[in-house]
Amino acid sequence: MSNDVSFLDLKSGYLELRDEIDDAMRRVAESGWYIGGPETKRFERDFAAYCEARHCVGVGNGLDALHLVLKAMDVGPGDEVIVASNTFIATLLAVSMVGATPVLVEPDPATHNLDPRLVEAAITLRTKVILPTHLYGQPADLDPILDIARAHGLLVLEDAAQAHGARYKGRPIGAHGHAVAWSFYPGKNLGALGDGGAVTTDDSAIADRVRMLGNYGSQQKYVNAVRGVNSRLDPLQAAILAVKLRHLDRWTAHRRHIAAFYLDRLAGTALVLPHVPNWAEPAWHLFVVQTPERNAMMAMLAERGVQTLVHYPIPPHRQQAYADLGLGKGTFPIAERLADTVLSLPIGPHLSMEQAERVAAAVRAASPS
Ligand SMILES: *Cc1c(COP(=O)(O)O)cnc(C)c1O
């Protein structure tokens, strides 16, 4: 057997729970309910309870969750939505999908998350929504963002695609803002065996509108109030997610254990390690270090059999897809510097402590101290 440590081990999540997941899949196959129905309802109820949110609406994927909430919030052409300059491209794509304009604001370099101190200066008469991402599973500093939103009459939509199980000031991510968008893409902390997503919120009007918009704009069969889309969480994925949700806290605890281990073992190296504010309980979707020698370090780790990845090598404003924003190099220096220096180490519920030690030893050997 190879001694290599791969970045992500997706199959173990299934193998560990094989009997429970196989039972769930068979139950759906034998039920005759293949869209909506009791399995989807049950997962929505379970996930809302887990997030301490009043409502959960299953949708097709995380991008749709963001897009449908923005549509439900009546965001459209001429409107502006504030997003972090170092987020994953999907956060911006959702804004573009409703015809609105993403307005980028730099992250706090210590936390990688939208810097609340810079938000106010980005607000214009066209701003409708502030859309912070809980990047890498680290909760964004929500209270100051919510205060600014309240003062300016704006809505807050959280991109929690990487933050299942994270807590902000003791309360789970799920309904701090007006709505929260989730992804169940297989590699996320709570991942389906395919695509999936959800919206959680305490606002029943937003929940109802998201559900209607994801179902052709219809609440009553063959009666269409608005032009919607087809984006639903299918019962097969919902049944699998309900099984995995019961194990999520244990998996998150293991991620925290590895993160604490890395923080301890890598202290004293020249690497910049993740900073965790005292109000944050991260879900550790990713463990991201920074080094100016990122590409060399990545190559040295690969030689030692440790696979690492970069989240993300090109910031959204430098992507060809957003060339029309006309934001040249140097416009967002913090996002650009992060893109050049961040490196994600292997972490996950099925990474053994022995593997974590191999990673830590390889990183120590490869880093100038
Ligand atoms: C994964 C991800 C998304 C998109 O989720 P999909 O289910 O892949 O559409 C959105 N935002 C962030 C921050 C993500 O990591």
Side-chain angles (χ1 to χ4, degrees):
M1 213 184 83
S2 150
N3 258 338
D4 289 3
V5 182
S6 62
F7 183 75
L8 184 62
D9 170 11
L10 283 177
K11 212 160 91 180
S12 291
Y14 167 66
L15 295 177
E16 182 199 332
L17 306 176
R18 177 178 238 155
D19 290 348
E20 279 181 88
I21 291 176
D22 285 358
D23 280 352
M25 290 197 287
R26 190 173 322 102
R27 204 170 60 235
V28 173
E30 289 174 352
S31 75
W33 274 101
Y34 305 132
I35 297 287
E39 297 284 348
T40 304
K41 278 209 179 66
R42 184 174 81 151
F43 172 70
E44 288 175 341
R45 205 182 51 223
D46 291 354
F47 194 61
Y50 181 83
C51 296
E52 297 179 19
R54 280 200 200 105
H55 309 280
C56 171
V57 181
V59 299
N61 56 63
L63 176 58
D64 282 355
L66 291 163
H67 164 228
L68 292 172
V69 171
L70 290 172
K71 234 174 134 59
M73 289 175 166
D74 267 324
V75 179
D79 295 331
E80 294 176 354
V81 176
I82 291 174
V83 304
S85 55
N86 63 327
T87 187
F88 179 54
I89 191 91
T91 322
L92 278 82
L93 292 176
V95 177
S96 303
M97 279 169 86
V98 297
T101 304
V103 171
L104 298 166
V105 168
E106 291 266 64
D108 179 339
T111 63
H112 303 272
N113 276 322
L114 185 65
D115 189 338
R117 294 165 299 188
L118 304 179
V119 168
E120 206 133 29
I123 294 173
T124 72
L125 290 172
R126 294 169 181 268
T127 309
K128 272 235 171 136
V129 172
I130 307 175
L131 204 180
T133 302
H134 303 300
L135 199 66
Y136 310 149
Q138 316 265 353
D141 194 0
L142 290 170
D143 279 349
I145 292 171
L146 289 164
D147 286 344
I148 294 165
R150 209 170 295 115
H152 293 267
L154 308 177
L155 296 169
V156 174
L157 163 59
E158 302 165 55
D159 183 342
Q162 305 185 355
H164 318 73
R167 286 172 176 263
Y168 177 70
K169 298 188 179 171
R171 182 177 154 211
I173 296 302
H176 293 271
H178 298 88
V180 181
W182 301 90
S183 164
F184 305 121
Y185 177 83
K188 309 293 190 189
N189 288 28
L190 179 60
L193 303 191
D195 275 315
V199 172
T200 57
T201 178
D202 277 349
D203 185 325
S204 58
I206 291 177
D208 290 347
R209 269 184 73 74
V210 167
R211 195 179 293 285
M212 177 182 69
L213 288 165
N215 189 39
Y216 315 119
S218 164
Q219 250 163 343
Q220 193 187 335
K221 207 162 189 171
Y222 307 130
V223 179
N224 298 79
V226 294
R227 292 195 288 261
V229 298
N230 174 358
S231 183
R232 305 174 291 218
L233 177 62
D234 84 60
L236 195 60
Q237 300 303 343
I240 293 163
L241 289 166
V243 170
K244 288 189 164 188
L245 181 59
R246 296 199 285 273
H247 300 271
L248 181 59
D249 280 343
R250 182 170 51 80
W251 285 349
T252 303
H254 187 71
R255 287 177 184 272
R256 291 193 172 129
H257 191 60
I258 291 170
F261 175 79
Y262 283 160
L263 287 171
D264 179 59
R265 286 285 279 119
L266 302 180
T269 65
L271 298 174
V272 178
L273 300 176
H275 166 73
V276 182
N278 57 13
W279 41 256
E281 291 166 73
W284 296 108
H285 175 61
L286 297 171
F287 189 95
V288 177
V289 300
Q290 286 172 63
T291 167
E293 307 302 321
R294 193 267 312 283
N295 292 345
M297 159 93 51
M298 208 174 170
M300 281 191 277
L301 292 175
E303 267 168 38
R304 292 174 160 86
V306 172
Q307 187 194 7
T308 55
L309 293 178
V310 173
H311 300 90
Y312 299 92
I314 306 173
H317 72 283
R318 299 298 297 145
Q319 297 282 1
Q320 200 187 332
Y322 281 104
D324 61 333
L325 291 178
L327 301 168
K329 203 167 172 60
T331 319
F332 296 102
I334 298 175
E336 289 167 26
R337 180 160 45 80
L338 288 173
D340 289 339
T341 58
V342 291
L343 183 67
S344 305
L345 306 184
I347 191 168
H350 300 94
L351 188 83
S352 70
M353 292 317 290
E354 191 186 10
Q355 288 176 308
E357 170 52 33
R358 297 247 325 282
V359 173
V363 172
R364 287 191 72 93
S367 68
S369 48

